Amino acid sequence: MSIWWSLQLRREAASVPLARRLLLGTMETAGVDPDICYDLSVALSEACANAVEHGGDAADGDYRVTAFIDGDTCRIEVTDSGPGFRHSQSPDRSPAGRTPAPAPVLTPAQAPADAEDGRGLFLIEALTDHVRYRNRTGRRGAVVSFDKILKWREGAALPMAS
């Protein structure tokens, strides 16, 4: 059995705890281990906070959160309509210096070590097993998706239903 849901949310601070509570309720009902629930809820909160802060020009825009629990994996995607991630060129490593550089790589902005802001994407990376940053194809916006391998409480409902 698998579970998925998707929310279209206003870019307002009040949307962040709403998304987090829905995720926590879904995972707790399915029987996901509380530590995994906590890690994913913090990662989701950070991704949503980034979408609210950086997800578009107008304060009245929307963003989307989609969560999939399939087997022993949870994938979460947060999509906004902001400027997206910037591109960085990998350095040219050819001996003659004449080979074209590899394709641009999407990277989150680097926050100074003493910054109070700008650490959300790095926190998402620390709390999850796989993170992908990409720009939306054919339109403005960024997509942050992350996966985490799930652990289950004893007697959990979802693994038994498979």
Side-chain angles (χ1 to χ4, degrees):
M1 175 185 270
S2 61
I3 299 172
W4 75 272
W5 52 261
S6 187
L7 297 171
Q8 189 82 14
L9 299 165
R10 307 259 317 152
R11 283 187 44 239
E12 300 171 349
S15 68
V16 177
L18 174 66
R20 183 179 59 239
R21 279 188 224 116
L22 181 59
L23 178 68
L24 281 170
T26 302
M27 290 191 306
E28 288 170 359
T29 300
V32 175
D33 177 81
D35 291 338
I36 300 296
C37 292
Y38 177 78
D39 288 351
L40 281 169
S41 71
V42 172
L44 175 61
S45 296
E46 291 295 334
C48 290
N50 283 343
V52 167
E53 185 174 345
H54 306 290
D57 296 331
D60 60 351
D62 292 340
Y63 69 100
R64 185 177 64 236
V65 175
T66 304
F68 307 89
I69 297 176
D70 190 25
D72 288 337
T73 304
C74 179
R75 168 170 285 173
I76 297 173
E77 293 184 356
V78 178
T79 305
D80 65 41
S81 57
F85 293 102
R86 59 181 169 211
H87 294 275
S88 67
Q89 289 286 344
S90 299
D92 185 348
R93 299 191 190 282
S94 65
R98 303 218 185 256
T99 305
V105 176
L106 294 174
T107 58
Q110 296 289 328
D114 59 349
E116 292 186 22
D117 290 338
R119 296 185 183 201
L121 295 176
F122 301 103
L123 188 54
I124 294 168
E125 289 177 7
L127 294 170
T128 62
D129 296 318
H130 180 261
V131 180
R132 181 174 179 214
Y133 310 105
R134 64 183 172 87
N135 289 330
R136 294 174 69 183
T137 305
R139 54 170 68 154
R140 285 177 45 96
V143 179
V144 175
S145 62
F146 47 94
D147 300 342
K148 183 129 177 119
I149 302 299
L150 301 176
K151 295 178 187 170
W152 303 96
R153 291 189 323 253
E154 189 171 326
L158 190 60
M160 291 180 176
S162 300

